């Protein structure tokens, strides 16, 4: 295996999740790409500590093991954070809200149900194992979709979806874990051996979004749901969408492979940011209060200004996800067959 294999697998696993605005329009206050800064090679930005202004990085060492560290925006130094608790496994994904860091450890055999979820309290520095895969290999082999949890964390609330065995029945479940209260709740469960699965859950404040997806032909299709933690209500907000994301009162997702949709929880209206039908596919939108970003199969990074309702195409080529963490825009620059993780501080 080449040295880049583990990082490439991580990035691949990230992917394996009414008003129209012309994409040719550029925002009048376009961002200056020249202000972008590079992150160290063999790293992937996966989160941001808004309190200490640090980027959470997954870092590949010379032995292809993944560690976590914080990159300090003030001095450009990396602070080592954690290594895999189990030396026989690797860190596959990680998140932070600035108070906690959570991550998934698993073997590099993606069809096994041998994952564990750990959380580090950044104040006390303590590490706690809060959940793990409980299915044996025989049961796990019957499940047609990925079983590795993908985490989301906000305000001490951690969410993920996973497969469980309950009363001899395999279920695909959405889990909410309150780190302050040390309380685990199952929000929703569906048939784990059915055609659909619960995927890409994201949490912000009192809301969780996710899609219930399935594969039709060569395409992934799904429905987008919203859960209100405060009142316990689940609402379906779209019959056509995958990989939703949430920040504040706004939710974004992808419909029909290339349409980026924006939904406002308070107004209950949907805005079609990009129209579909072109040759490119658009993937993995993320957002903050001001901007939405995504990347596409043509290697473009696009940024939508929510207030101005206009799009800026950044003059950079990428072969991996662009994402927004609070007020940090990150992407992987692809130039002359070389990849460089970069970031840009967004105006607030």
């Amino acid at each position: 295996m080449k040295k880049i294999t583990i990082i490439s697998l991580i990035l691949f696993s990230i992917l394996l999740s009414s008003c129209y605005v012309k994409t040719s329009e550029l925002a009048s206050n376009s961002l200056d790409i020249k202000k972008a800064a590079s992150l160290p090679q063999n790293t992937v930005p996966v989160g941001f500590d808004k309190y200490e202004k640090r980027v959470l990085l997954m870092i590949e060492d010379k032995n292809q093991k993944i560690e976590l560290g914080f990159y300090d925006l003030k001095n450009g130094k990396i602070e080592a954070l954690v290594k895999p608790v189990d030396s026989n496994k690797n860190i596959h994904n990680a998140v932070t809200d600035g108070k906690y860091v959570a991550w998934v450890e698993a073997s590099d055999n993606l069809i096994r149900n041998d994952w564990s979820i750990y959380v580090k309290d950044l104040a006390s520095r303590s590490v706690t194992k809060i959940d793990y895969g409980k299915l044996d290999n025989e049961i796990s082999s019957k499940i047609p979709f990925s079983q590795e949890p993908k985490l989301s964390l906000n305000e001490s609330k951690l969410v993920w979806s996973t497969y469980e065995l309950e009363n001899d029945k395999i279920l695909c479940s959405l889990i909410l874990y309150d780190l302050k209260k040390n309380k685990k709740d199952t929000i929703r469960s569906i048939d784990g051996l059915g055609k659909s699965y619960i995927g890409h859950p994201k949490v912000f404040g009192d809301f969780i979004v996710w899609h219930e997806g399935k594969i039709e032909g060569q395409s992934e299709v799904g429905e987008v749901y919203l859960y209100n933690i405060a009142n316990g209500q689940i609402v379906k907000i779209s019959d056509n969408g995958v990989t939703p994301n949430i920040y504040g009162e706004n939710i974004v997702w992808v419909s029909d492979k290339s349409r980026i949709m924006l939904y406002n929880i308070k107004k209950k209206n949907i805005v079609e940011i990009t129209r579909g039908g072109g040759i490119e596919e658009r993937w993995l939108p993320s957002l903050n209060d001001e901007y939405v970003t995504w990347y596409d199969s043509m290697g473009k990074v696009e940024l939508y200004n929510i207030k101005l309702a206009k799009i800026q195409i950044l003059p950079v080529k990428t072969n991996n996800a662009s994402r927004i963490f609070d007020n940090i825009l990150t992407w992987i620059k692809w130039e002359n067959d070389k990849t460089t993780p970069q970031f840009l501080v967004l105006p607030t």
Side-chain angles (χ1 to χ4, degrees):
M1 295 176 68
K2 296 181 180 179
K3 186 177 181 181
I4 62 171
T5 300
I6 301 300
I7 287 290
S8 299
L9 285 172
I10 292 167
L11 292 166
F12 180 73
S13 71
I14 291 172
L15 175 58
L16 294 175
S17 15
S18 318
C19 265
Y20 169 61
V21 180
K22 295 180 180 178
T23 58
S24 61
E25 291 182 310
L26 298 180
S28 59
N29 60 342
S30 298
L31 298 177
D32 185 358
I33 198 69
K34 294 179 182 179
K35 295 182 179 180
S38 295
L39 291 163
Q41 291 290 325
N42 297 322
T43 68
V44 176
V46 292
F48 185 65
D49 175 2
K50 63 183 179 181
Y51 304 105
E52 299 294 332
K53 308 302 180 187
R54 304 179 293 180
V55 180
L56 180 64
L57 298 177
M58 296 177 68
I59 306 165
E60 183 182 15
D61 67 17
K62 61 183 180 180
N63 297 314
Q64 298 182 352
K65 298 297 287 186
I66 301 298
E67 303 175 2
L68 297 179
F70 275 121
Y71 177 88
D72 195 317
L73 297 186
K74 298 184 289 293
N75 58 32
K77 295 181 179 180
I78 293 181
E79 173 194 352
L81 186 64
V82 293
K83 295 183 178 182
V85 175
D86 186 337
S87 61
N88 295 315
K89 296 181 180 180
N90 242 335
I91 295 175
H92 282 221
N93 67 89
V95 290
T96 187
D97 63 355
K99 297 179 180 178
Y100 299 91
V101 172
W103 66 95
V104 173
E105 291 184 17
S107 68
D108 292 328
N109 183 345
L110 299 180
I111 64 172
R112 294 181 61 184
N113 193 260
D114 62 352
W115 55 267
S116 298
I117 297 176
Y118 295 91
V119 173
K120 182 167 188 173
D121 186 322
L122 293 177
S124 68
R125 315 297 289 182
S126 62
V127 173
T128 305
K129 182 178 179 178
I130 64 170
D131 206 0
Y132 61 96
K134 305 173 184 69
L135 305 184
D136 61 31
N137 289 339
E138 181 181 356
I139 294 175
S140 181
S141 66
K142 299 177 182 179
I143 298 171
F145 299 104
S146 172
Q147 299 165 52
E148 180 186 304
K150 299 296 189 295
L151 306 177
S152 179
L153 174 61
N154 178 256
E155 295 181 4
S156 307
K157 297 181 180 70
L158 182 66
V159 299
W160 66 91
S161 59
T162 189
Y163 287 85
E164 303 177 311
L165 186 63
E166 185 175 305
N167 298 324
D168 295 324
K169 186 175 182 180
I170 300 173
L171 301 175
C172 183
S173 298
L174 174 64
I175 307 298
L176 167 64
Y177 197 105
D178 190 315
L179 297 174
K180 285 185 177 179
K181 299 177 181 178
N182 192 28
K183 181 183 178 184
K184 177 183 175 183
D185 290 308
T186 299
I187 303 303
R188 180 168 170 85
S189 293
I190 61 175
D191 181 4
L193 297 181
K195 294 183 178 180
S196 298
Y197 69 98
I198 294 173
H200 209 74
K202 297 290 181 179
V203 60
F204 192 95
D206 278 333
F207 294 96
I208 302 171
V209 294
W210 69 93
H211 73 241
E212 295 186 12
K214 59 184 177 180
I215 304 299
E216 290 186 353
Q218 299 297 315
S219 301
E220 183 179 25
V221 297
E223 300 172 332
V224 180
Y225 290 84
L226 175 67
Y227 175 74
N228 188 323
I229 298 173
N231 60 28
Q233 292 184 346
I234 294 177
V235 178
K236 183 166 68 172
I237 59 176
S238 176
D239 291 318
N240 183 359
V242 294
T243 62
N245 213 324
I246 182 172
Y247 193 98
E249 61 187 45
N250 290 316
I251 299 170
V252 292
W253 65 85
V254 179
S255 291
D256 300 323
K257 296 185 180 181
S258 60
R259 297 163 61 210
I260 304 295
M261 314 301 292
L262 176 67
Y263 175 84
N264 185 277
I265 295 173
K266 290 183 178 179
K267 297 177 182 177
K268 293 183 172 58
N269 68 313
I270 296 179
V271 173
E272 182 178 356
I273 296 175
T274 64
R275 185 172 288 177
I279 61 173
E280 73 265 33
E281 296 183 12
R282 296 183 174 96
W283 301 317
L284 294 173
S286 63
L287 71 164
N288 64 9
D289 282 333
E290 302 286 337
Y291 297 96
V292 181
T293 193
W294 59 90
Y295 77 112
D296 65 27
S297 55
M298 307 301 287
K300 298 195 304 290
V301 176
E302 299 178 90
L303 194 69
Y304 175 75
N305 188 308
I306 296 174
K307 291 183 178 179
L308 298 180
K310 292 185 178 180
I311 288 175
Q312 177 185 358
I313 301 175
L314 300 183
V316 63
K317 197 81 170 176
T318 185
N319 66 345
N320 287 304
S322 61
R323 289 191 284 175
I324 294 175
F325 303 108
D326 290 290
N327 69 324
I328 300 293
L329 172 67
T330 71
W331 65 90
I332 307 295
K333 182 181 178 181
W334 184 27
E335 187 175 43
N336 299 324
D337 293 327
K338 179 182 178 182
T339 57
T340 305
Q342 294 188 307
F343 72 92
L344 186 64
V345 179
L346 297 170
T348 55

